[in-house]
Amino acid sequence: MERSLVLIKPDAMERGLAGAIIGRLQGEGLNLVALRMLHMDRPLAERHYAVHREKPFYKDLVDYIISTPIVAAVLEGENAVERIRELMGATDPARAAAGTIRKDFGLDVQRNSTHASDSPENAEKETGLFFKENEIFD
Ligand code: IDP
Ligand code: MG
């Protein structure tokens, strides 16, 4: 069994889409094992997006992710990381495949509604930023 960290980003929160997006993932057989609503502070956002520190969009991205409360979730299933990335679609909603979450809900390349871990190693690291081990259920 594999776990992935999913964030419902501010653009989706503002449009009341958290339940719809998590529901889609559950509908695909992924098991919700942790859930939390929080307003990320800048240090947490900077740690979460540390790999993008040198990118031109980094500062905007951090400002955006801390602009409203978000929902963080851990979903579990076989091959969960890859399956969730597929269900979310490409980073840019305009390039995302039909039927993906970002195609259906994303607004633009930054405001693309969701984050999902891109490897099992990163899933473990990212999950640790948002949840204690005893907040994740079997
Ligand atoms: P991912 O979310 O599909 O893994 P990453 O390349 O890891 O995409 O980028 C992290 C986040 O940074 C994206 O989800 C998006 O919100 C934002 N982002 C990525 N590329 C751009 C860009 O070219 N312009 C503005 N924001 C971007
Ligand atoms: Mg990424």
Side-chain angles (χ1 to χ4, degrees), residues 10 17 21-22 41 49 52 54 59 64 77 93 97 106 125 128 131:
L17 294 170
I21 292 171
I22 291 168
D41 61 15
Y49 281 128
H52 297 302
E54 308 300 331
K59 173 146 194 319
Y64 160 68
K125 279 191 215 157
F131 296 97

Side-chain angles (χ1 to χ4, degrees), residues 10-123:
D11 70 275
M13 294 299 293
E14 285 180 321
R15 287 174 292 146
L17 294 170
I21 292 171
I22 291 168
R24 267 210 204 192
L25 298 173
Q26 291 178 297
E28 293 292 332
L30 290 146
N31 193 19
L32 181 65
V33 295
L35 188 65
R36 178 182 171 204
M37 186 167 169
L38 74 154
H39 200 146
M40 289 172 79
D41 61 15
R42 191 169 294 275
L44 175 59
E46 288 177 345
R47 283 176 74 192
H48 175 69
Y49 281 128
V51 295
H52 297 302
R53 222 168 16 228
E54 308 300 331
K55 306 268 174 65
F57 58 79
Y58 174 71
K59 173 146 194 319
D60 266 8
L61 177 61
V62 169
D63 287 345
Y64 160 68
I65 203 72
I66 67 175
S67 65
T68 74
I70 59 151
V71 164
V74 179
L75 287 114
E76 187 179 73
E78 232 165 86
N79 210 14
V81 167
E82 194 184 322
R83 278 171 64 205
I84 293 172
R85 295 284 297 188
E86 272 179 31
L87 292 167
M88 288 196 174
T91 304
D92 183 351
R95 291 163 191 252
T100 60
I101 289 168
R102 283 169 165 171
K103 183 67 171 188
D104 289 346
F105 300 126
L107 299 177
D108 56 43
V109 67
Q110 177 185 78
R111 296 176 299 161
N112 56 4
S113 300
T114 51
H115 166 86
S117 308
D118 64 4
S119 70
E121 298 69 43
N122 285 338

